[in-house]
């Protein structure tokens, strides 16, 4: 493989200023197609590797991207029509079952770069039989409650260590005119899994039972507790007055201006998406997420977006060469330079570890849980869960009804996948 030229490294920063739309506008039938969520494909390290690949090889990419809230449905429709991209980007979560990995994707166990993956990255990308499903070209971050420490200090307030303290903190901030939590209800879906994780990560037997259809969300008090807490937080103004219209692009604005003090997100976001304003990344710190499901709060470990190869692609060799290009040390180090992430590759040296995570290391060690709800609950769909909660927040149902909708959607999805215990 051609090594990265010194000149290419010098112009990489300039290349990353361009958006991915330059690639997505390429309708060349010879171009390699890469499909992913819009916000994912526009990460700085993704646009960097796309541009670097085109610049170094002369080959073309056609980026197919859909809005995050539409991605699973749109992708499913394309697969149903036999329109499978050459490279498909997806997390190794419950939603991946929609796309029949064994039928559509090439196992990558024998690829030359596989040995360069860290043990944790390899484990994340494997199916239950130990087959490597994709290349984890992604950030490995820590999700939690990121808060404006500068603002809290100026108000004489402290971060919370328990659910009770967190509730008092939110109440106090709301009373003095701040939005305690930026809650992006418009199209963002990840927040709910943080609250659900402790319920199932801490109880293997409960996880087994829900996956065997022997118990439902409605029979688990902590799930309703979470729904009641979220509904109550919204009613008390803890999410502000415009959370229903706040989406991905609105998070940074609220945090940077100081309008909102906290949000439930991951550290890498601050280095890839947060532009800052009155407040910058240096003003933020990390504490656990609190959603009334775990008294001491929780952190979620990293989820990795994988580049998966369509094994039936007419451009199979080119697709594999593209993954090899991305997995070449000089290339991934160029793309991830200055990005806050735990390494996915053994040769990764240019990434950084955020001060926020480093300073919270002891708390993270005590309270971190592996991502469980989105990855291990059969039939779990982030979009379905968000839809149920949006109905709750808009007054369309109550907490009990919200949990019922979550059950109905989960069971419906499990049935559609033909999962034993859910079929009639």
């Amino acid at each position: 493989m051609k090594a990265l030229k010194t000149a290419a490294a010098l112009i990489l920063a300039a290349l990353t200023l361009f958006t991915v739309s330059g690639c997505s506008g390429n309708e060349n039938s010879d171009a390699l197609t890469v499909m992913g969520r819009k916000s994912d494909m526009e990460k700085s390290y993704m646009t960097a590797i796309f541009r670097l690949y085109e610049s170094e090889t002369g080959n073309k990419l056609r980026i197919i991207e859909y809005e995050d809230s539409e991605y699973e449905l749109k992708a499913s429709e394309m697969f149903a029509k036999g329109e499978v991209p050459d490279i498909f980007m997806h997390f190794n979560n419950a939603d991946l079952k929609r796309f029949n990995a064994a039928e559509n994707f090439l196992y990558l166990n024998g690829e030359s770069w596989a040995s360069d993956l860290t043990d944790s990255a390899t484990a994340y990308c494997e199916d239950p039989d130990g087959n490597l499903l994709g290349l984890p070209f992604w950030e490995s971050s820590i999700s939690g409650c990121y808060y404006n420490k500068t603002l809290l200090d100026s108000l004489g307030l402290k971060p919370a260590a328990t659910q009770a303290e967190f509730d008092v903190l939110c109440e106090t901030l709301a009373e003095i005119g701040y939005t305690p939590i930026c809650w992006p209800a418009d199209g963002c879906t990840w927040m709910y899994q943080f609250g659900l994780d402790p319920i199932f990560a801490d109880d293997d037997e409960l996880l087994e039972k829900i996956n065997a259809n022997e118990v439902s969300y409605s029979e688990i008090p902590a799930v309703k507790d979470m729904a009641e807490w979220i509904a109550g937080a919204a009613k008390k103004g803890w999410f502000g007055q415009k959370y229903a219209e706040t989406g991905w692009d609105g998070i940074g604005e609220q945090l940077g201006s100081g309008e909102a003090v906290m949000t439930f997100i991951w550290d890498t976001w601050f280095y890839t998406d947060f532009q800052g304003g009155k407040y910058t990344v240096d003003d933020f710190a990390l504490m656990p997420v609190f959603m009334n499901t775990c008294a001491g709060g929780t952190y979620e470990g990293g989820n990795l977006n994988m580049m998966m190869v369509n094994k039936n692609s007419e451009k199979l060799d080119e697709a594999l060469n593209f993954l090899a290009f991305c997995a070449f040390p000089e290339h991934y180090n160029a793309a991830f330079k200055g990005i806050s992430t735990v390494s996915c590759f053994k040769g990764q040296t240019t990434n950084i570890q955020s001060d926020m995570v480093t300073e919270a290391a002891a708390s993270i060690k005590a309270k971190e849980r592996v991502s469980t709800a989105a990855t291990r609950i059969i039939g779990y769909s982030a979009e379905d869960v968000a839809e149920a909660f949006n109905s709750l927040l808009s007054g369309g149902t109550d907490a009990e009804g919200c949990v019922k909708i979550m059950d109905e959607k989960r069971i419906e999805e499990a049935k559609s996948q033909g999962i034993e215990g859910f079929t009639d």
Side-chain angles (χ1 to χ4, degrees):
M1 177 182 296
K2 190 193 312 183
L4 177 64
K5 296 184 179 69
T6 302
L10 294 174
I11 56 178
L12 183 58
L15 292 174
T16 58
L17 294 176
F18 291 90
T19 66
V20 75
S21 60
C23 294
S24 60
N26 184 349
E27 299 300 331
N28 188 336
S29 61
D30 293 330
L32 195 70
T33 55
V34 185
M35 182 193 294
R37 290 174 179 81
K38 185 175 186 295
S39 68
D40 291 348
M41 306 305 267
E42 296 179 0
K43 299 290 188 187
S44 62
Y45 47 83
M46 296 304 298
T47 59
I49 200 66
F50 293 155
R51 296 296 189 178
L52 188 58
Y53 174 77
E54 291 191 329
S55 173
E56 284 284 295
T57 68
N59 297 331
K60 298 298 181 183
L61 299 173
R62 182 162 69 89
I63 307 304
I64 304 170
E65 57 183 32
Y66 294 108
E67 293 293 341
D68 294 19
S69 60
E70 301 176 342
Y71 184 66
E72 300 295 340
L73 177 60
K74 294 290 188 181
S76 296
E77 291 174 347
M78 287 188 65
F79 274 65
K81 293 186 292 185
E83 299 175 3
V84 182
D86 302 312
I87 305 291
F88 181 60
M89 296 200 65
H90 206 284
F91 294 88
N92 192 8
N93 58 22
D95 280 329
L96 185 59
K97 292 183 174 64
R98 302 176 187 223
F99 302 100
N100 197 334
E103 179 179 318
N104 288 305
F105 305 118
L106 186 71
Y107 294 143
L108 302 169
N109 308 42
E111 293 302 299
S112 60
W113 46 261
S115 61
D116 189 35
L117 297 179
T118 63
D119 291 343
S120 59
T122 298
Y124 179 88
C125 295
E126 289 179 334
D127 70 6
D129 297 320
N131 295 305
L132 188 63
L133 297 175
L135 172 70
F137 197 87
W138 201 243
E139 63 203 46
S140 184
S141 49
I142 297 295
S143 296
C145 178
Y146 288 82
Y147 67 94
N148 189 325
K149 63 181 180 181
T150 302
L151 189 51
L152 285 193
D153 286 346
S154 71
L155 297 170
L157 299 173
K158 297 181 179 180
T162 67
Q163 181 71 54
E165 290 179 2
F166 186 74
D167 289 351
V168 170
L169 177 61
C170 290
E171 183 178 0
T172 302
L173 288 169
E175 287 177 351
I176 57 179
Y178 290 95
T179 295
I181 307 167
C182 176
W183 188 270
D186 184 13
C188 297
T189 62
W190 64 80
M191 301 85 72
Y192 309 102
Q193 70 194 54
F194 300 160
L196 291 170
D197 277 348
I199 300 172
F200 299 97
D202 296 355
D203 191 336
D204 290 338
E205 183 178 353
L206 185 61
L207 181 61
E208 290 177 5
K209 285 184 176 180
I210 199 165
N211 283 338
N213 202 22
E214 295 174 359
V215 69
S216 66
Y217 288 140
S218 298
E219 298 172 281
I220 303 171
V223 180
K224 185 179 178 182
D225 290 344
M226 172 179 154
E228 290 177 338
W229 184 87
I230 291 173
K235 187 175 182 180
K236 297 169 188 173
W238 294 358
F239 300 159
Q241 301 304 312
K242 54 184 180 182
Y243 66 89
E245 294 81 40
T246 300
W248 176 260
D249 293 335
I251 305 171
E253 180 182 347
Q254 289 192 27
L255 292 181
S257 67
E259 174 185 349
V261 181
M262 302 179 281
T263 198
F264 298 160
I265 207 160
W266 45 94
D267 59 305
T268 310
W269 174 85
F270 282 90
Y271 298 87
T272 58
D273 295 89
F274 182 47
Q275 298 299 316
K278 180 179 179 181
Y279 298 100
T280 69
V281 62
D282 295 331
D283 294 301
F284 288 84
L286 173 62
M287 64 176 153
V289 164
F290 296 96
M291 273 192 270
N292 207 31
T293 59
C294 178
T298 187
Y299 302 96
E300 184 184 76
N303 290 284
L304 303 176
N305 213 344
M306 305 179 296
M307 293 181 176
M308 305 175 70
V309 174
N310 174 6
K311 70 178 183 180
N312 302 307
S313 168
E314 295 179 358
K315 303 182 181 70
L316 181 59
D317 288 342
E318 185 180 343
L320 290 172
N321 286 337
F322 172 69
L323 261 63
F325 182 95
C326 295
F328 189 61
E330 289 188 73
H331 298 157
Y332 62 64
N333 275 316
F336 282 96
K337 184 176 181 180
I339 299 296
S340 174
T341 176
V342 175
S343 297
C344 290
F345 301 95
K346 294 174 183 176
Q348 201 164 352
T349 59
T350 58
N351 52 306
I352 61 174
Q353 183 69 69
S354 76
D355 291 339
M356 295 177 288
V357 170
T358 301
E359 291 167 1
S363 178
I364 293 169
K365 184 177 180 180
K367 300 177 181 181
E368 182 183 8
R369 292 166 173 86
V370 65
S371 178
T372 302
T375 61
R376 300 186 181 183
I377 296 177
I378 291 173
Y380 186 93
S381 164
E383 287 73 20
D384 288 344
V385 173
E387 181 182 336
F389 273 96
N390 284 343
S391 179
L392 170 64
L393 293 174
S394 66
T397 188
D398 58 11
E400 186 174 343
C402 172
V403 177
K404 182 179 179 181
I405 294 171
M406 290 169 59
D407 271 326
E408 291 171 348
K409 293 286 188 179
R410 176 182 57 83
I411 292 170
E412 180 183 349
E413 178 60 29
K415 285 183 176 179
S416 72
Q417 296 173 12
I419 303 297
E420 183 179 354
F422 291 88
T423 55
D424 296 330

